Amino acid sequence: MRVSDVRRIAICFAILAISGMAAARPPKASYHLLNTYKLGAAAGSNREYFDYIMVDSAGRRVYLSHGTEVKVLNADTGALIGNVTGMTLDHGVAIAKEFGRGFISD
């Protein structure tokens, strides 16, 4: 066996060993549950209904489409900041920060 053949075999073995170690390592968990918040049934409804959830990370707010209203929560504490009411069955929330406006599809 020549030196170049031995070198090729050693490189192949090293590649197989490294890929075997990478495959054997369990993946890191990237998501986990921090808290659970009970919000109850939406106003004018007998069931707890949520559609889209929008997070405004800059404003530290969470907007929850909740049947006939949008609940606004503090993103850090989960405390209810306010409700946007008077809708039939809201769907989603969008924030246009550059205009100082928010939009709700109903």
PDB file of all heavy atoms in Angstrom, residues 1 9 14-15 17-19 26 30 39 49 53 72 81 86 91 98-99 105:
ATOM      1  N   MET A   1       0.837  -1.170   0.000  1.00  0.00           N
ATOM      2  CA  MET A   1       0.000   0.000   0.000  1.00  0.00           C
ATOM      3  C   MET A   1       0.884   1.236   0.000  1.00  0.00           C
ATOM      4  O   MET A   1       1.848   1.321   0.735  1.00  0.00           O
ATOM      5  CB  MET A   1      -0.861   0.001   1.254  1.00  0.00           C
ATOM      6  CG  MET A   1      -2.263   0.457   0.976  1.00  0.00           C
ATOM      7  SD  MET A   1      -3.205   0.708   2.453  1.00  0.00           S
ATOM      8  CE  MET A   1      -4.082  -0.786   2.609  1.00  0.00           C
ATOM      9  N   ILE A   9      -7.497   6.573   3.097  1.00  0.00           N
ATOM     10  CA  ILE A   9      -8.259   5.747   4.042  1.00  0.00           C
ATOM     11  C   ILE A   9      -8.397   6.472   5.380  1.00  0.00           C
ATOM     12  O   ILE A   9      -9.466   6.488   5.985  1.00  0.00           O
ATOM     13  CB  ILE A   9      -7.586   4.355   4.209  1.00  0.00           C
ATOM     14  CG1 ILE A   9      -7.721   3.558   2.907  1.00  0.00           C
ATOM     15  CG2 ILE A   9      -8.198   3.596   5.377  1.00  0.00           C
ATOM     16  CD1 ILE A   9      -6.929   2.276   2.884  1.00  0.00           C
ATOM     17  N   ALA A  14     -11.744   9.470   9.190  1.00  0.00           N
ATOM     18  CA  ALA A  14     -11.954  10.672   9.999  1.00  0.00           C
ATOM     19  C   ALA A  14     -13.295  11.324   9.669  1.00  0.00           C
ATOM     20  O   ALA A  14     -14.032  11.744  10.568  1.00  0.00           O
ATOM     21  CB  ALA A  14     -10.806  11.661   9.776  1.00  0.00           C
ATOM     22  N   ILE A  15     -13.639  11.391   8.388  1.00  0.00           N
ATOM     23  CA  ILE A  15     -14.923  11.973   7.975  1.00  0.00           C
ATOM     24  C   ILE A  15     -16.084  11.150   8.528  1.00  0.00           C
ATOM     25  O   ILE A  15     -17.056  11.689   9.053  1.00  0.00           O
ATOM     26  CB  ILE A  15     -14.997  12.097   6.445  1.00  0.00           C
ATOM     27  CG1 ILE A  15     -14.039  13.190   5.967  1.00  0.00           C
ATOM     28  CG2 ILE A  15     -16.422  12.401   5.988  1.00  0.00           C
ATOM     29  CD1 ILE A  15     -13.877  13.268   4.465  1.00  0.00           C
ATOM     30  N   ALA A  17     -16.035   9.186  11.171  1.00  0.00           N
ATOM     31  CA  ALA A  17     -16.065   9.310  12.630  1.00  0.00           C
ATOM     32  C   ALA A  17     -16.694  10.640  13.048  1.00  0.00           C
ATOM     33  O   ALA A  17     -17.527  10.695  13.962  1.00  0.00           O
ATOM     34  CB  ALA A  17     -14.654   9.190  13.194  1.00  0.00           C
ATOM     35  N   ILE A  18     -16.346  11.730  12.380  1.00  0.00           N
ATOM     36  CA  ILE A  18     -16.903  13.049  12.711  1.00  0.00           C
ATOM     37  C   ILE A  18     -18.395  13.096  12.420  1.00  0.00           C
ATOM     38  O   ILE A  18     -19.192  13.577  13.224  1.00  0.00           O
ATOM     39  CB  ILE A  18     -16.140  14.157  11.947  1.00  0.00           C
ATOM     40  CG1 ILE A  18     -14.731  14.295  12.511  1.00  0.00           C
ATOM     41  CG2 ILE A  18     -16.884  15.489  12.041  1.00  0.00           C
ATOM     42  CD1 ILE A  18     -13.827  15.177  11.712  1.00  0.00           C
ATOM     43  N   SER A  19     -18.820  12.563  11.271  1.00  0.00           N
ATOM     44  CA  SER A  19     -20.250  12.581  10.953  1.00  0.00           C
ATOM     45  C   SER A  19     -21.020  11.655  11.881  1.00  0.00           C
ATOM     46  O   SER A  19     -22.163  11.926  12.231  1.00  0.00           O
ATOM     47  CB  SER A  19     -20.534  12.253   9.500  1.00  0.00           C
ATOM     48  OG  SER A  19     -19.707  11.262   9.009  1.00  0.00           O
ATOM     49  N   PRO A  26     -27.795  14.610  20.401  1.00  0.00           N
ATOM     50  CA  PRO A  26     -29.202  15.023  20.306  1.00  0.00           C
ATOM     51  C   PRO A  26     -29.305  16.512  19.972  1.00  0.00           C
ATOM     52  O   PRO A  26     -28.460  17.303  20.398  1.00  0.00           O
ATOM     53  CB  PRO A  26     -29.761  14.734  21.698  1.00  0.00           C
ATOM     54  CG  PRO A  26     -28.581  14.740  22.597  1.00  0.00           C
ATOM     55  CD  PRO A  26     -27.415  14.283  21.763  1.00  0.00           C
ATOM     56  N   SER A  30     -35.100  24.156  20.888  1.00  0.00           N
ATOM     57  CA  SER A  30     -35.086  25.588  20.627  1.00  0.00           C
ATOM     58  C   SER A  30     -36.320  26.294  21.175  1.00  0.00           C
ATOM     59  O   SER A  30     -36.310  27.488  21.351  1.00  0.00           O
ATOM     60  CB  SER A  30     -34.958  25.844  19.133  1.00  0.00           C
ATOM     61  OG  SER A  30     -36.007  25.200  18.448  1.00  0.00           O
ATOM     62  N   LEU A  39     -57.486  33.176  29.435  1.00  0.00           N
ATOM     63  CA  LEU A  39     -58.165  34.411  29.051  1.00  0.00           C
ATOM     64  C   LEU A  39     -59.675  34.250  28.965  1.00  0.00           C
ATOM     65  O   LEU A  39     -60.384  35.222  28.878  1.00  0.00           O
ATOM     66  CB  LEU A  39     -57.610  34.922  27.723  1.00  0.00           C
ATOM     67  CG  LEU A  39     -56.113  35.248  27.764  1.00  0.00           C
ATOM     68  CD1 LEU A  39     -55.596  35.541  26.382  1.00  0.00           C
ATOM     69  CD2 LEU A  39     -55.847  36.415  28.692  1.00  0.00           C
ATOM     70  N   TYR A  49     -61.946  31.406  21.653  1.00  0.00           N
ATOM     71  CA  TYR A  49     -61.563  31.361  20.245  1.00  0.00           C
ATOM     72  C   TYR A  49     -60.425  32.346  19.997  1.00  0.00           C
ATOM     73  O   TYR A  49     -60.535  33.529  20.316  1.00  0.00           O
ATOM     74  CB  TYR A  49     -62.768  31.739  19.371  1.00  0.00           C
ATOM     75  CG  TYR A  49     -62.404  31.956  17.922  1.00  0.00           C
ATOM     76  CD1 TYR A  49     -62.234  30.882  17.062  1.00  0.00           C
ATOM     77  CD2 TYR A  49     -62.208  33.235  17.420  1.00  0.00           C
ATOM     78  CE1 TYR A  49     -61.887  31.076  15.741  1.00  0.00           C
ATOM     79  CE2 TYR A  49     -61.860  33.442  16.103  1.00  0.00           C
ATOM     80  CZ  TYR A  49     -61.706  32.355  15.270  1.00  0.00           C
ATOM     81  OH  TYR A  49     -61.344  32.553  13.960  1.00  0.00           O
ATOM     82  N   ILE A  53     -51.954  35.400  16.348  1.00  0.00           N
ATOM     83  CA  ILE A  53     -51.258  36.085  17.434  1.00  0.00           C
ATOM     84  C   ILE A  53     -50.128  36.877  16.801  1.00  0.00           C
ATOM     85  O   ILE A  53     -49.351  36.343  16.009  1.00  0.00           O
ATOM     86  CB  ILE A  53     -50.697  35.078  18.452  1.00  0.00           C
ATOM     87  CG1 ILE A  53     -51.843  34.291  19.085  1.00  0.00           C
ATOM     88  CG2 ILE A  53     -49.865  35.784  19.506  1.00  0.00           C
ATOM     89  CD1 ILE A  53     -51.376  33.153  19.961  1.00  0.00           C
ATOM     90  N   VAL A  72     -54.744  42.909  24.151  1.00  0.00           N
ATOM     91  CA  VAL A  72     -53.378  43.404  24.099  1.00  0.00           C
ATOM     92  C   VAL A  72     -52.721  43.059  25.430  1.00  0.00           C
ATOM     93  O   VAL A  72     -53.197  43.469  26.489  1.00  0.00           O
ATOM     94  CB  VAL A  72     -53.335  44.930  23.855  1.00  0.00           C
ATOM     95  CG1 VAL A  72     -51.897  45.396  23.717  1.00  0.00           C
ATOM     96  CG2 VAL A  72     -54.148  45.305  22.631  1.00  0.00           C
ATOM     97  N   ILE A  81     -53.240  44.580  28.975  1.00  0.00           N
ATOM     98  CA  ILE A  81     -53.079  46.030  28.868  1.00  0.00           C
ATOM     99  C   ILE A  81     -54.384  46.663  28.407  1.00  0.00           C
ATOM    100  O   ILE A  81     -54.758  47.730  28.869  1.00  0.00           O
ATOM    101  CB  ILE A  81     -51.930  46.378  27.898  1.00  0.00           C
ATOM    102  CG1 ILE A  81     -50.616  45.861  28.458  1.00  0.00           C
ATOM    103  CG2 ILE A  81     -51.863  47.868  27.640  1.00  0.00           C
ATOM    104  CD1 ILE A  81     -49.470  45.942  27.495  1.00  0.00           C
ATOM    105  N   GLY A  86     -65.777  45.639  19.656  1.00  0.00           N
ATOM    106  CA  GLY A  86     -66.729  46.119  18.661  1.00  0.00           C
ATOM    107  C   GLY A  86     -66.615  45.465  17.308  1.00  0.00           C
ATOM    108  O   GLY A  86     -67.080  46.005  16.311  1.00  0.00           O
ATOM    109  N   HIS A  91     -59.702  38.749  12.816  1.00  0.00           N
ATOM    110  CA  HIS A  91     -58.852  37.730  12.207  1.00  0.00           C
ATOM    111  C   HIS A  91     -57.384  37.960  12.543  1.00  0.00           C
ATOM    112  O   HIS A  91     -56.760  37.152  13.191  1.00  0.00           O
ATOM    113  CB  HIS A  91     -59.086  37.752  10.703  1.00  0.00           C
ATOM    114  CG  HIS A  91     -58.404  36.672   9.956  1.00  0.00           C
ATOM    115  ND1 HIS A  91     -58.663  35.340  10.161  1.00  0.00           N
ATOM    116  CD2 HIS A  91     -57.456  36.716   8.989  1.00  0.00           C
ATOM    117  CE1 HIS A  91     -57.910  34.618   9.347  1.00  0.00           C
ATOM    118  NE2 HIS A  91     -57.170  35.427   8.638  1.00  0.00           N
ATOM    119  N   GLU A  98     -43.975  52.725  11.313  1.00  0.00           N
ATOM    120  CA  GLU A  98     -43.522  53.975  10.696  1.00  0.00           C
ATOM    121  C   GLU A  98     -44.639  55.008  10.567  1.00  0.00           C
ATOM    122  O   GLU A  98     -44.372  56.203  10.443  1.00  0.00           O
ATOM    123  CB  GLU A  98     -42.871  53.711   9.330  1.00  0.00           C
ATOM    124  CG  GLU A  98     -43.786  53.094   8.296  1.00  0.00           C
ATOM    125  CD  GLU A  98     -43.838  51.574   8.351  1.00  0.00           C
ATOM    126  OE1 GLU A  98     -43.395  50.969   9.329  1.00  0.00           O
ATOM    127  OE2 GLU A  98     -44.353  50.989   7.388  1.00  0.00           O
ATOM    128  N   PHE A  99     -45.904  54.563  10.619  1.00  0.00           N
ATOM    129  CA  PHE A  99     -47.040  55.476  10.533  1.00  0.00           C
ATOM    130  C   PHE A  99     -47.732  55.673  11.875  1.00  0.00           C
ATOM    131  O   PHE A  99     -48.701  56.424  11.982  1.00  0.00           O
ATOM    132  CB  PHE A  99     -48.074  54.972   9.503  1.00  0.00           C
ATOM    133  CG  PHE A  99     -47.495  54.824   8.128  1.00  0.00           C
ATOM    134  CD1 PHE A  99     -47.341  53.567   7.559  1.00  0.00           C
ATOM    135  CD2 PHE A  99     -47.093  55.932   7.398  1.00  0.00           C
ATOM    136  CE1 PHE A  99     -46.817  53.424   6.284  1.00  0.00           C
ATOM    137  CE2 PHE A  99     -46.557  55.796   6.131  1.00  0.00           C
ATOM    138  CZ  PHE A  99     -46.417  54.539   5.575  1.00  0.00           C
ATOM    139  N   SER A 105     -58.006  43.022  10.806  1.00  0.00           N
ATOM    140  CA  SER A 105     -58.972  42.535   9.808  1.00  0.00           C
ATOM    141  C   SER A 105     -60.137  41.902  10.556  1.00  0.00           C
ATOM    142  O   SER A 105     -59.964  41.161  11.509  1.00  0.00           O
ATOM    143  CB  SER A 105     -58.311  41.529   8.860  1.00  0.00           C
ATOM    144  OG  SER A 105     -57.867  40.401   9.581  1.00  0.00           O
TER     145      SER A 105
END
